[in-house]
């Protein structure tokens, strides 16, 4: 890593960035705008994600991201990622919100999950190998819907994770300049 | 200054001091003045529609829908002619004080659909702005005149009159002057320099990109809104000028329908947006004017006309919408590239843009994007360990992109805009073999340049992309890839067309002056006018074209 880039923007600055973001998330008072789109309401502290989405996503993050050190260094890393993802989804269009929630719903409902992923129990109880196998199956599927589903899962989880300052150290990215 | 230098490296400090003209940086504690908010404090008429408690009617000489490249340019010209102008913008008002170089915040607040807009089948992700200043507030500053072959093609194939290069030259010059457009004089960052180095080795064309900046700090965060007001977007140039002349800006209001009386637009009916800008659930605004300028940009302008059931006797509305579809290759080097810092786009290559003619196999322009991590994680792809490995190499990686020139060949008809159940627009852009052939050739060109510049490995952005450690292996990989939707990763940051201009009403929505063929007092003055894609980053094409057309309109109306 180039030492010229080594923070001045120190770890404290990066944490400040992250703290500011999570403060913003918790104080923004958004009303759910998904009228009729889903029967299950958003989980407490969330604007879009439902209680049934959280265990699924928590299980998927480590598989999609790989063994990122921050997953073990920060006990609340996935909680931060979920909050970031929820914030982003709250700002997308009704169509995108519905499409994403429908996708998550397919994965958390037993009747659809089994046939589509080969995982018949809870996602949170599946092994990393099982989850990896299902993701690859979707990625390489001859069905466009499943390939699109893989891309959506990958994109949402990666973008939310790498928006977090705690994910940056391993990439050599010192963070944004503070003006 | 010192702190910034420590962040960005000593080299940045030594040559940036020669180019910072507009701002004196007196240590970290001096904030950059928020020029827009200063104007509001001085008395500019700016209305936040989201906070309007009751239904409201406003009148003006000209209603301008949209505050992007077209809306801003026309607002200044019309207001300077003494016309009372009212601008309405669907996005909210975010100014330099709001721009914190924060990717996720920017995507959520400044982009259409929270940066999650995409084509109907999900094949192409679309980045388009939604904020005061439109996409100009979040673009990467590249400013090119419309290429001569494009203008000639419009004249010969699309019945466009009066917009040949000679007629357009003074208008491009006017807007280049207005917006500080000049070839970037600071050494390109290492990410951009990969293009230069590779092209030099291969004897391929390369050139410095002109940028619309004044006093740029060379940060590289244009895509999350310029925090120093150096980027000469509409937000800091034409809109302030119009507001100084007494124009009114209404933001956070979506223009839902146009109301017609005979062949005239009598009213623009709008509604205030909700706090997340996902729905128009607020009070109603009725805007009345003698003339209406539609400048919502491609996708949005046709959508408004579709929602309004505007006359469209030959079913041209929304058709021929183009995207400059982008594919990319990721090169890994054994030196630091740090593509997340420095002016994002400063070098380009047109070597393969016109080499097979204007209407042959799809040409493309090669550039690089800024490489901040959130967006890059998606572009780099890979699953699990593969993804982590690529992200761990971010600082030593170069991502190259190819802007594919769609709309010139008969197998490149572009997409068509339709409406979802709730009236939101959706672009259906089919992917075909003509496009895949361009994608394949672009992968090869980019990989070749990266290897020539010293890349140790190159990965095509593709579901099955793997690291090739030699040019020979890369060629084999590209030949064997699956060219189908969702496997090839495609993106777009340039949306064009859908309200095509042209003298023939059976093929165009407006005439060559942007005047709607069927509606008496409606002009379309934005990028949806383009009959094909541009073949270059489109902002200056919009500025130049709209400057000419708005000047003509201003003379007629005043």
């Amino acid at each position: 890593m180039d030492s010229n880039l080594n923070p001045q923007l120190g770890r404290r600055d990066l944490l400040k960035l992250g703290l500011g973001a999570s403060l913003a998330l918790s104080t923004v008072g958004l009303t759910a705008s998904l009228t009729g789109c889903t029967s299950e309401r958003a989980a407490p502290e969330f604007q879009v994600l439902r209680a049934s989405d959280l265990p699924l996503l928590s299980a998927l993050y480590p598989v999609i991201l790989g063994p990122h050190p921050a997953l073990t260094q920060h006990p609340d890393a996935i909680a931060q990622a979920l909050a970031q993802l929820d914030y982003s989804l709250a700002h997308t269009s009704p169509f995108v919100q519905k499409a994403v929630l429908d996708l998550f719903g397919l994965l958390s409902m037993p009747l659809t999950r089994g046939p589509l992923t080969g995982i018949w129990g809870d996602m949170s109880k599946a092994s990393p190998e099982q989850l990896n196998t299902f993701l690859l199956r979707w990625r390489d599927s001859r069905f466009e819907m499943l390939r699109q589903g893989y891309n959506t899962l990958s994109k949402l989880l990666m973008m939310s994770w790498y928006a977090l300052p705690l994910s940056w150290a391993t990439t050599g990215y010192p963070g944004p300049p503070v003006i | 200054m010192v702190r910034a230098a420590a962040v960005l490296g000593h080299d940045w400090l030594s040559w940036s001091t020669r180019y910072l003209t507009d701002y004196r940086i007196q240590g970290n504690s001096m904030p950059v003045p928020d020029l827009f908010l200063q104007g509001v404090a001085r008395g500019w008429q700016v209305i936040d529609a989201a906070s309007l408690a009751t239904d409201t009617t406003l009148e003006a000489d000209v209603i301008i829908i949209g505050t992007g490249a077209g809306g801003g340019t026309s607002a200044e010209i019309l207001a300077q002619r003494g016309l009372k102008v009212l601008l309405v913008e669907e996005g909210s008002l975010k100014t330099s004080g709001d721009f914190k170089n924060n990717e996720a915040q920017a995507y959520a607040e400044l982009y259409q659909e929270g940066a999650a807009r995409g084509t109907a089948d999900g094949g192409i992700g679309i980045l388009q702005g939604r904020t005061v200043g439109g996409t100009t507030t979040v673009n990467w500053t590249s400013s090119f005149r419309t290429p001569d072959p494009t203008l000639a093609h419009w004249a010969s194939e699309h019945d466009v009159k009066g917009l040949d290069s000679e007629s357009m030259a003074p208008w491009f010059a006017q807007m280049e002057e207005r917006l500080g457009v000049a070839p970037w004089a600071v050494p390109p960052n290492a990410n951009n320099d990969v293009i230069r180095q590779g092209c030099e080795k291969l004897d391929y064309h390369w050139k410095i990109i002109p940028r619309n900046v004044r006093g740029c700090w060379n940060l590289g965060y244009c895509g999350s809104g310029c925090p120093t007001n150096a980027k000469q977007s509409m937000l800091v140039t034409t809109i302030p000028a119009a507001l100084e002349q007494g124009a009114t800006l209404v933001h956070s209001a979506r223009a839902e329908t146009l109301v017609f009386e005979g062949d005239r637009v009598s009213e623009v009916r709008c509604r205030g947006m909700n706090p997340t800008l996902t729905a128009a659930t607020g009070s109603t605004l009725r805007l009345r004017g003698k003339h209406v300028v539609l400048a919502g940009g491609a996708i949005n302008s046709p959508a408004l006309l579709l929602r309004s059931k505007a006359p469209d006797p030959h079913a041209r509305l929304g058709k021929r919408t183009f995207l400059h579809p982008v594919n990319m290759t990721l090169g890994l080097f054994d030196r630091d590239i740090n593509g997340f810092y420095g002016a994002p786009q400063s070098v380009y290559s047109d070597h393969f843009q016109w080499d097979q003619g204007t209407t042959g196999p799809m040409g493309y322009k090669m550039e690089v994007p800024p490489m901040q991590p959130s967006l890059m994680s998606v572009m780099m792809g890979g699953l699990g360990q593969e993804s982590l490995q690529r992200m761990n190499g971010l600082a030593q990686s170069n991502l190259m992109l190819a802007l594919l020139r769609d709309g010139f060949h008969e197998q490149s008809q572009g997409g068509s805009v339709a409406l979802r159940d709730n009236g939101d627009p959706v672009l259906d852009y089919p992917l075909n073999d003509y496009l895949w052939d361009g994608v394949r050739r672009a992968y090869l060109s980019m990989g070749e340049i990266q290897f020539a510049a010293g890349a140790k490995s190159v990965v095509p952005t593709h579901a099955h992309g793997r690291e090739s450690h030699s040019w020979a292996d890369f060629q084999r990989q590209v030949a064997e890839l699956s060219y189908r939707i969702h496997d090839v990763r495609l993106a777009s940051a340039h949306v064009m067309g859908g309200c095509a201009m042209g003298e023939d009403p059976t093929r165009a929505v407006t005439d060559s002056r942007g005047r709607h063929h069927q509606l008496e007092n409606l002009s379309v003055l934005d990028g949806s006018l383009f009959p094909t894609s541009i073949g270059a980053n489109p902002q200056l094409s919009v500025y130049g074209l709209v400057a000419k057309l708005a000047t003509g309109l201003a003379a007629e109306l005043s």
Side-chain angles (χ1 to χ4, degrees):
Chain A
M1 202 186 303
D2 184 351
S3 62
N4 277 347
L5 289 175
N6 215 16
Q8 294 304 323
L9 251 193
R11 188 163 178 273
R12 208 178 296 146
D13 296 292
L14 296 178
L15 280 174
K16 244 190 268 171
L17 256 170
L19 199 60
S22 61
L23 269 175
L25 291 171
S26 62
T27 55
V28 163
L30 296 166
T31 55
S33 54
L34 300 173
T35 49
C37 284
T38 168
S39 51
E40 192 189 340
R41 297 176 42 180
E45 310 296 314
F46 287 90
Q47 317 302 331
V48 176
L49 293 175
R50 306 156 298 193
S52 58
D53 300 322
L54 305 180
L56 157 73
L57 295 170
S58 302
L60 285 174
Y61 269 108
V63 181
I64 282 182
L65 300 172
H68 194 292
L71 285 166
T72 43
Q73 284 160 5
H74 297 258
D76 69 336
I78 290 185
Q80 283 191 44
L82 288 168
Q84 182 68 252
L85 175 59
D86 188 66
Y87 163 82
S88 299
L89 288 174
H91 288 78
T92 62
S93 56
F95 172 79
V96 171
Q97 286 173 358
K98 179 176 193 308
V100 168
L101 291 181
D102 284 351
L103 171 62
F104 294 165
L106 282 178
L107 292 171
S108 45
M109 287 188 318
L111 274 177
T112 45
R113 178 178 61 241
L116 286 175
T117 68
I119 295 168
W120 297 86
D122 277 350
M123 281 289 188
S124 51
K125 305 246 175 29
S127 69
E129 291 71 36
Q130 283 180 295
L131 292 169
N132 198 67
T133 299
F134 120 66
L135 287 169
L136 286 175
R137 214 170 88 171
W138 277 32
R139 189 195 72 182
D140 300 336
S141 172
R142 68 182 190 278
F143 296 113
E144 288 177 15
M145 189 190 101
L146 298 186
R147 299 205 306 274
Q148 184 176 6
Y150 168 82
N151 283 348
T152 301
L153 289 173
S154 174
K155 174 178 175 176
L156 290 175
L157 271 58
M158 297 255 226
M159 277 192 87
S160 55
W161 176 257
Y162 284 104
L164 302 175
L166 55 75
S167 74
W168 297 337
T170 58
T171 70
Y173 176 61
V178 178
I179 307 294
Chain B
M1 184 73 151
V2 172
R3 181 182 187 178
V7 168
L8 296 167
H10 183 264
D11 288 347
W12 175 87
L13 175 62
S14 62
W15 30 253
S16 278
T17 47
R18 288 182 283 154
Y19 296 98
L20 293 167
T21 52
D22 289 0
Y23 296 102
R24 299 208 185 283
I25 301 141
Q26 295 164 13
N28 307 325
S29 56
M30 170 99 151
V32 171
D34 191 318
L35 303 176
F36 199 100
L37 292 186
Q38 287 176 348
V40 174
R42 282 200 309 275
W44 288 350
Q45 293 168 56
V46 176
I47 299 171
D48 178 357
S51 61
L52 285 175
T54 53
D55 292 355
T56 309
T57 300
L58 298 171
E59 292 192 8
D61 293 326
V62 185
I63 310 296
I64 299 180
I65 303 170
T67 60
T73 302
S74 20
E76 177 176 45
I77 286 168
L78 293 165
Q80 279 171 347
R81 243 352 238 261
L83 293 159
K84 171 63 185 160
V85 167
L86 194 153
L87 288 145
V88 59
E89 166 58 47
E90 176 188 44
S92 64
L93 176 63
K94 297 292 183 193
T95 59
S96 59
D98 296 309
F99 302 145
K100 303 298 187 194
N101 304 326
N102 181 324
E103 273 194 276
Q105 183 180 12
Y107 297 144
E109 295 181 352
L110 309 177
Y111 286 77
Q112 290 288 347
E113 303 186 52
R117 172 165 278 186
T119 52
D121 57 16
I124 306 180
I126 296 174
L127 294 180
Q128 201 180 17
R130 180 201 52 204
T131 189
V132 173
T135 306
T136 75
T137 300
V138 295
N139 73 14
W140 303 334
T141 75
S142 299
S143 307
F144 296 94
R145 296 189 175 194
T146 313
D148 288 346
T150 302
L151 293 174
H153 184 81
W154 290 355
S156 68
E157 305 306 313
H158 292 279
D159 224 342
V160 171
K161 293 216 161 359
L163 301 181
D164 53 282
S165 332
E166 210 182 306
S167 306
M168 285 303 301
W171 301 102
F172 290 134
Q174 175 177 311
M175 292 311 289
E176 285 163 349
E177 164 65 37
R178 178 70 183 90
L179 302 177
V181 173
W184 182 234
V186 172
N189 68 2
N191 195 32
N192 278 274
D193 208 50
V194 169
I195 297 183
R196 186 193 63 79
Q197 285 185 37
C199 286
E200 285 280 306
K201 240 338 185 351
L202 296 164
D203 203 24
Y204 286 169
H205 168 270
W206 70 271
K207 216 168 170 199
I208 296 292
I209 295 180
R211 307 181 62 220
N212 61 322
V213 294
R214 287 192 164 105
C216 175
W217 292 26
N218 201 27
L219 297 176
Y221 288 76
C222 319
S224 42
C226 180
T228 71
N229 296 313
K231 175 164 70 176
Q232 302 295 284
S233 70
M234 300 294 91
L235 178 67
V236 302
T237 57
T238 57
I239 295 170
L243 292 168
E244 284 289 325
Q245 295 286 328
T248 299
L249 167 66
V250 178
H251 67 81
S252 306
R254 174 178 292 165
E256 294 200 308
T257 56
L258 306 176
V259 179
F260 305 115
E261 270 165 24
D263 65 356
R264 293 184 63 82
V265 181
S266 59
E267 184 177 293
V268 181
R269 195 162 298 162
C270 311
R271 283 193 74 178
M273 299 296 285
N274 64 352
T276 48
L277 301 175
T278 60
T281 52
S283 301
T284 297
L285 269 106
R286 294 167 211 281
L287 307 177
R288 304 217 173 103
K290 290 178 271 196
H291 200 91
V292 175
V293 169
L294 181 50
I299 299 180
N300 300 323
S301 284
L304 173 57
L305 290 171
L306 287 169
R307 280 196 300 273
S308 310
K309 300 190 172 24
D312 185 24
H314 304 284
R316 301 320 304 156
L317 204 42
K319 303 290 196 300
R320 297 187 63 81
T321 297
F322 300 104
L323 293 177
H324 284 159
V326 165
N327 67 323
M328 292 152 278
T329 57
L330 177 70
L332 183 64
F333 291 76
D334 60 6
R335 61 180 188 270
D336 284 329
I337 301 286
N338 301 328
F340 33 75
Y341 291 153
Q345 298 196 313
S346 56
V347 180
Y348 74 101
S349 172
D350 262 352
H351 194 81
F352 299 97
Q353 182 66 294
W354 307 103
D355 65 325
Q356 304 200 63
T358 303
T359 58
M362 204 173 235
Y364 44 92
K365 185 186 213 66
M366 291 176 289
E367 295 172 350
V368 299
M371 292 183 66
Q372 285 94 32
S374 181
L375 190 59
M376 281 303 105
S377 68
V378 176
M379 298 307 162
M380 285 184 161
L383 173 62
Q385 176 67 48
E386 199 177 40
S387 156
L388 182 62
Q389 204 161 305
R390 290 179 191 168
M391 285 305 289
N392 283 348
L394 176 67
Q396 292 79 40
S397 294
N398 151 260
L399 193 74
M400 199 169 297
L401 63 85
L403 296 162
L404 290 153
R405 182 168 53 83
D406 50 344
F408 288 79
H409 187 278
E410 55 115 20
Q411 282 171 47
S412 183
Q413 297 290 323
S416 58
V417 177
L419 298 177
R420 299 193 191 280
D421 290 343
N422 68 347
D424 282 357
V426 56
L427 174 64
D428 181 8
Y429 189 107
L431 309 175
N432 64 4
D433 287 342
Y434 177 79
L435 172 66
W436 296 134
D437 176 69
V439 164
R440 181 187 55 78
R441 285 180 290 105
Y443 276 145
L444 290 172
S445 301
M446 293 189 283
E448 188 184 23
I449 290 170
Q450 287 171 316
F451 278 113
K456 295 307 168 206
S457 66
V458 177
V459 185
T461 56
H462 185 286
H464 308 136
R466 59 172 176 80
E467 279 71 6
S468 278
H469 294 274
S470 71
W471 168 227
D473 183 60
F474 184 76
Q475 289 171 282
R476 277 192 295 273
Q477 184 188 171
V478 168
E480 287 161 8
L481 286 172
S482 52
Y483 290 90
R484 61 179 190 176
I485 189 174
H486 305 312
D487 286 3
V488 177
R489 174 137 293 126
L490 292 170
S492 167
H494 304 154
V495 200
M496 298 157 286
C499 289
M501 61 181 170
E503 295 303 299
D504 180 355
T506 68
R507 299 176 59 207
V509 173
T510 77
D511 64 19
S512 304
R513 299 170 303 151
R515 303 294 289 264
H516 195 279
H517 274 301
Q518 289 81 29
L519 293 166
E520 165 67 30
N521 63 338
L522 177 69
S523 295
V524 178
L525 296 179
D526 66 17
S528 66
L529 288 173
F530 302 145
T532 67
S533 75
I534 297 290
N537 313 53
Q539 66 171 336
L540 181 55
S541 289
V542 183
Y543 299 140
L545 177 61
V546 172
K548 179 182 203 289
L549 300 185
T551 301
L553 178 64
E556 182 191 316
L557 294 178
S558 59

